[in-house]
Amino acid sequence: MTPFSFEWLWNVEYFIFFGFLYLALTVIGCGLVFAAIKTALQLMGFMRERHF
Amino acid sequence: MDSPLIPEGVKRCSPKVFFFWTLPWLGLLLWGGLAAILCLWKGLNQTNMSNIFAFALWIVFDLGLIALGAGAFFTGFLTYIIGKKELKNIINAAVIIGFICYSGAVAMLGIDIGQPLRGWFIFWHANIHSMLVEVSFCITCYLGVLAVEFIPIILANRKLQEVKEFRLFGHNLHEIMAVFAATGTFLSFFHQGSLGGMFGVMYARPFAAREGFYIWPWTFFLFILSAIAVGPCFTILCTKLTEAISRKKLVPDNAVQLLAKISAWLLSAYMILKIADTLAWIYGIVPQEGLTFMDFFKQGPYGVWMVVVEIIICGILPAIILMIPNARKQTGWLITASLLACVGIILNRFMFIIVTLAIPVMPFTRFWSYLPTWQEWGLSLAIVGYGILLFSLAYRYLPVFPKELELNPNLETRTA
Amino acid sequence: MEEEHVHGHRFGMVIDLDKCTGCGTCMVACAAENNVSVRPDESDKQRSITWMQLFKISNGKDFPDTEVSYFPRPCMHCNHHPPCVSVCVATATKLDFHTGIVSQIYTRCIGCRYCQAACPYQARYFNWWDGYFPKGKGLDRYLSPEVSPRMRGVVEKCTFCHHRLMRAKNQAYAEDRREIEEDEYVTACAEACPAQAITFGDLNNPEHKVSQLIKHPFAFRLLDRLGTEPKVYYLSSRDWIRRLADNFLPGEYHPVVNKNWMEREWSTKPGRDTF
């Protein structure tokens, strides 16, 4: 699963598969972190809340 | 008693009635829980699975649930990426249905594998050439995406909204929902496809084997297409069922009609490609392996009727019904067509799983039959119970249908 | 094949169906050698573990033309692209390119049974129960310390008695040799067969009997058309057996032996194995 595991091979198949996987996980993670930080900033008053 | 938790302005049944409503579903959950404990404690001999039927009822349910739950990602794609605003009134329901389907499927898979404690090996010792690894990774990640999409709906609960942190977080998540929808679409494309690829790559099983494009057998693309064609039908069915039970209109017609129309076109495209693939298989792969079409359909209950039902009754027929605007505007025809389409897709998954294994490849081995045990039924139906329970809770306490108030102005609000 | 401490081998098997009497000794020897678990009630044949499985086949004709044969089926150890190896989720099964043996790592297997679905030979067996070796009944007395017993929930299959290869290699190493002899590594079934119907050896080595036998016109493989490239070959002088070993459309099968039953050469005829 990581380059440190036994099966890992430095070839294009691994790059493509885990490249896409880590990209998807990164996007999800970044989205969550972004929402969390924005919430924290709004709570602390550094950002305005958007009301509808 | 629980009226502070119920969304503003809408009417819900009394807590006592709701409690009685949950009882049968809790019963199913209990049955499934017992079955799961038995299987974990005593082993998979509790089922009727065997060395011939390595995949059985649970896998059929898994694949069926995941195919039907495709409405979540596809509706999300149409709403947030394509920008079909009318679907915003049904996207919450679709996400919850999707969450139910995927979480249920993952829970069932945890019991289905022989060594559940080693389930993490799929990720840690992944064999990237295996389609099932692709399925596992994408389904797990997508379940995470569904959870992230579900969180804002949960945080939209009236009481939780009073907590500023929850309100803001839910709001901020909702603002970037397009990002999650896009990721969900990407992940779903791959796992729906890989579920089909799983069977297409089995080159030593002539019933399932298919040619393809590079590493992807044609079943890869057919499973994606069938999932996005029928997923919205399942969403429509669940919505209509909720409307029937709650006796009120919940989703505006334009949303339902849009989903039905898109489903019609996708189903038609799928049927054309499915027929082409079936013919290519009958005249290509099957004679290549020295077999005939009838060799697969003369054993046990698995006859040609399955192909006829899958392609004509549950494929071409619902496609035609949904294509005709006057037919899909009538609730009766809409529900009939959606139901037929859902049955068709489950039959398609069933055939790839069960019939592939039932028909022996070696000429001198015998045909064995299979019927699930009560433990297998228990776990499978528990997912249905879990789904109805979770959806009922969501419908009761969360603003699942944004247009509910607007569509039901005459109903009085319930006083605390 | 790369030059290595042990050169590239392709271990395979040839089973002479003319010699096979259907006694089942191969099944018993295999089970005893490899610590195969049994059940108190073995009547459920769909869940019995039989790494070597004996099939009884018949030409389907009525008396007096009825012919019966027995068909031992171990794991085929398919070459190049075994259907089970590419589908294993946890890399618990691998084709070893140095020996040609398809191995199974029991402690890695999560029991998803995808490999069972992929194998057309039904050569893979799942442990539906925990291992059963009760002390009081003597079943523990034949356990071999060289073969790990399997826990419930994992898949197992014929390993071409890989532990015997290890034993032979250790022996050769201790004697300062690099290569093992043909008779030093033999599977339990081949060793036990009273009719000597099973021959085991290195298909890549022209001096080994198996590599010569596979060139015989009577040699065939099970489900050859699928493209699995099995390393277990069969010999039979009877065409109806060869016909049952694969699927043929009408007119596709071409008989190898155009003689009837009485006229065919018997395996007891001198010179049968040499040609």
Side-chain angles (χ1 to χ4, degrees):
Chain A
M1 173 136 170
T2 64
F4 310 106
S5 68
F6 177 74
E7 288 89 2
W8 186 272
L9 292 168
W10 293 100
N11 66 23
V12 70
E13 289 166 337
Y14 272 74
F15 292 158
I16 294 173
F17 186 92
F18 286 104
F20 277 127
L21 172 74
Y22 290 131
L23 179 68
L25 289 174
T26 308
V27 168
I28 298 168
C30 284
L32 285 171
V33 165
F34 170 81
I37 291 178
K38 193 171 170 190
T39 309
L41 288 174
Q42 283 171 339
L43 284 170
M44 291 190 284
F46 294 114
M47 273 182 78
R48 267 194 324 234
E49 285 178 46
R50 297 248 306 270
H51 292 284
F52 292 91
Chain B
M1 197 171 78
D2 59 351
S3 53
L5 293 166
I6 291 172
E8 193 104 34
V10 297
K11 186 167 178 268
R12 295 284 181 263
C13 66
S14 70
K16 197 169 87 170
V17 171
F18 186 70
F19 171 71
F20 282 114
W21 161 255
T22 60
L23 282 179
W25 321 122
L26 284 170
L28 280 180
L29 271 177
L30 212 68
W31 179 13
L34 178 63
I37 289 169
L38 273 174
C39 291
L40 290 172
W41 172 31
K42 295 197 164 185
L44 285 173
N45 55 80
Q46 296 290 300
T47 68
N48 262 345
M49 289 192 279
S50 64
N51 294 322
I52 288 93
F53 287 97
F55 292 157
L57 182 75
W58 287 343
I59 300 291
V60 174
F61 258 79
D62 279 330
L63 261 76
L65 279 172
I66 288 169
L68 295 174
F73 93 83
F74 192 57
T75 313
F77 170 72
L78 292 169
T79 311
Y80 294 112
I81 312 296
I82 304 292
K84 296 280 181 194
K85 294 277 184 290
E86 55 267 58
L87 293 177
K88 285 200 169 178
N89 301 319
I90 202 171
I91 182 66
N92 287 346
V95 163
I96 297 170
I97 293 166
F99 180 81
I100 290 166
C101 289
Y102 278 82
S103 55
V106 170
M108 199 148 50
L109 276 170
I111 310 295
D112 201 354
I113 57 175
Q115 287 275 340
L117 286 176
R118 294 187 194 171
W120 59 280
F121 284 6
I122 304 180
F123 308 106
W124 198 250
H125 300 297
N127 169 19
I128 59 168
H129 300 113
S130 170
M131 284 281 177
L132 191 48
V133 160
E134 166 69 47
V135 167
S136 309
F137 269 108
C138 288
I139 284 183
T140 311
C141 294
Y142 183 58
L143 185 59
V145 169
L146 276 169
V148 169
E149 289 184 330
F150 196 7
I151 287 170
I153 306 174
I154 298 172
L155 295 178
N157 173 266
R158 205 165 89 174
K159 264 293 177 202
L160 291 176
Q161 281 274 290
E162 290 171 10
V163 180
K164 199 175 178 193
E165 285 85 352
F166 292 153
R167 190 180 75 241
L168 286 171
F169 187 60
H171 209 91
N172 290 327
L173 269 182
H174 192 84
E175 277 185 340
I176 53 166
M177 204 40 74
V179 169
F180 298 112
T183 316
T185 306
F186 171 79
L187 290 168
S188 291
F189 178 86
F190 276 105
H191 76 244
Q192 296 286 357
S194 298
L195 280 169
M198 256 179 77
F199 300 97
V201 293
M202 294 202 286
Y203 71 89
R205 288 268 187 186
F207 186 77
R210 294 291 189 275
E211 308 280 341
F213 170 72
Y214 190 41
I215 56 167
W216 301 293
W218 296 129
T219 41
F220 184 96
F221 307 102
L222 285 175
F223 268 50
I224 299 173
L225 192 49
S226 56
I228 59 176
V230 178
C233 288
F234 188 63
T235 312
I236 293 171
L237 276 178
C238 292
T239 309
K240 290 293 174 194
L241 184 63
T242 316
E243 288 182 343
I245 295 172
S246 63
R247 291 190 296 261
K248 55 176 93 128
K249 198 167 173 61
L250 296 166
V251 178
D253 279 331
N254 60 356
V256 172
Q257 287 301 308
L258 178 64
L259 278 182
K261 190 168 78 168
I262 293 174
S263 186
W265 283 101
L266 289 170
L267 199 55
S268 307
Y270 168 64
M271 287 323 299
I272 293 169
L273 292 173
K274 170 79 181 161
I275 291 168
D277 172 71
T278 308
L279 288 171
W281 170 72
I282 292 173
Y283 293 107
I285 292 181
V286 171
Q288 230 175 353
E289 311 292 8
L291 295 158
T292 62
F293 174 73
M294 280 312 294
D295 282 331
F296 298 106
F297 294 106
K298 59 177 193 235
Q299 309 240 44
Y302 310 122
V304 185
W305 66 268
M306 297 184 90
V307 183
V308 170
V309 169
E310 186 200 340
I311 292 185
I312 297 176
I313 298 175
C314 294
I316 296 175
L317 186 61
I320 292 174
I321 295 173
L322 290 173
M323 274 292 218
I324 302 169
N326 285 336
R328 63 171 183 259
K329 280 193 175 73
Q330 292 179 50
T331 314
W333 282 113
L334 178 64
I335 291 176
T336 306
S338 301
L339 205 59
L340 285 174
C342 291
V343 168
I345 208 176
I346 293 175
L347 190 58
N348 169 261
R349 293 344 189 213
F350 177 90
M351 283 181 71
F352 268 103
I353 297 164
I354 300 292
V355 183
T356 305
L357 296 176
I359 309 299
V361 193
M362 289 190 287
F364 50 80
T365 43
R366 56 160 286 190
F367 171 83
W368 297 90
S369 66
Y370 157 79
L371 275 175
T373 57
W374 67 264
Q375 293 90 330
E376 291 179 85
W377 281 116
L379 194 59
S380 308
L381 294 175
I383 308 297
V384 174
Y386 156 72
I388 295 176
L389 201 58
L390 192 62
F391 198 82
S392 305
L393 283 167
Y395 170 70
R396 184 176 178 81
Y397 296 120
L398 306 176
V400 177
F401 299 103
K403 292 284 180 192
E404 186 184 346
L405 261 179
E406 200 182 291
L407 291 164
N408 301 281
N410 298 324
L411 290 170
E412 288 165 25
T413 58
R414 191 165 180 78
T415 51
Chain C
M1 289 284 180
E2 24 177 315
E3 291 288 309
E4 269 235 11
H5 172 248
V6 176
H7 293 287
H9 300 287
R10 205 163 51 102
F11 287 109
M13 201 181 260
V14 176
I15 302 176
D16 193 337
L17 296 177
D18 289 337
K19 289 181 183 168
C20 176
T21 59
C23 64
T25 307
C26 54
M27 285 180 78
V28 174
C30 169
E33 178 85 9
N34 292 291
N35 302 341
V36 175
S37 174
V38 293
R39 295 288 313 147
D41 176 6
E42 276 283 339
S43 56
D44 185 357
K45 287 297 149 210
Q46 290 184 77
R47 299 207 248 190
S48 284
I49 302 178
T50 49
W51 291 13
M52 169 66 95
Q53 188 170 0
L54 197 61
F55 288 91
K56 181 177 175 184
I57 56 177
S58 153
N59 64 350
K61 294 194 178 138
D62 291 325
F63 176 84
D65 300 315
T66 321
E67 285 184 53
V68 164
S69 180
Y70 295 89
F71 207 105
R73 189 241 57 222
C75 167
M76 297 287 144
H77 292 270
C78 305
N79 211 16
H80 287 133
H81 187 213
C84 56
V85 167
S86 53
V87 300
C88 177
V89 272
T91 343
T93 181
K94 290 228 80 154
L95 170 64
D96 179 9
F97 289 106
H98 301 301
T99 57
I101 294 175
V102 177
S103 61
Q104 183 79 16
I105 310 173
Y106 310 118
T107 43
R108 178 73 71 84
C109 177
I110 68 168
C112 72
R113 307 185 297 285
Y114 191 5
C115 58
Q116 271 197 307
C119 177
Y121 302 105
Q122 292 170 4
R124 290 177 155 273
Y125 298 89
F126 184 76
N127 281 276
W128 300 99
W129 286 270
D130 287 307
Y132 181 74
F133 302 104
K135 279 200 168 75
K137 304 190 180 169
L139 284 163
D140 56 319
R141 297 178 68 178
Y142 70 73
L143 290 175
S144 161
E146 288 176 306
V147 180
S148 39
R150 281 71 61 190
M151 62 291 287
R152 75 151 90 138
V154 298
V155 170
E156 57 181 69
K157 68 170 191 69
C158 157
T159 55
F160 272 177
C161 290
H162 186 252
H163 56 284
R164 289 181 167 213
L165 173 64
M166 293 293 106
R167 201 196 291 167
K169 280 165 76 173
N170 287 338
Q171 181 73 18
Y173 184 78
E175 292 170 9
D176 222 5
R177 283 183 286 128
R178 287 202 158 251
E179 296 291 334
I180 55 175
E181 303 297 320
E182 181 179 2
D183 53 350
E184 278 189 305
Y185 170 39
V186 177
T187 57
C189 51
E191 187 182 359
C193 177
Q196 288 169 357
I198 303 179
T199 318
F200 184 81
D202 181 4
L203 294 168
N204 273 355
N205 189 331
E207 287 168 31
H208 284 210
K209 277 194 93 178
V210 285
S211 62
Q212 294 154 14
L213 283 171
I214 62 172
K215 297 191 191 115
H216 196 287
F218 288 174
F220 64 94
R221 293 186 291 189
L222 194 50
L223 298 176
D224 212 347
R225 292 174 79 155
L226 288 176
T228 48
E229 295 181 55
K231 289 202 275 300
V232 175
Y233 290 75
Y234 295 88
L235 288 172
S236 177
S237 59
R238 291 178 275 184
D239 270 308
W240 67 265
I241 295 179
R242 252 190 300 279
R243 204 188 181 139
L244 267 184
D246 211 332
N247 296 298
F248 297 99
L249 291 170
E252 272 188 339
Y253 178 74
H254 300 293
V256 171
V257 183
N258 280 312
K259 298 176 184 174
N260 68 26
W261 184 78
M262 293 292 280
E263 293 168 27
R264 281 188 208 147
E265 297 177 75
W266 282 105
S267 58
T268 51
K269 187 176 167 180
R272 163 77 169 75
D273 289 332
T274 58
F275 56 94

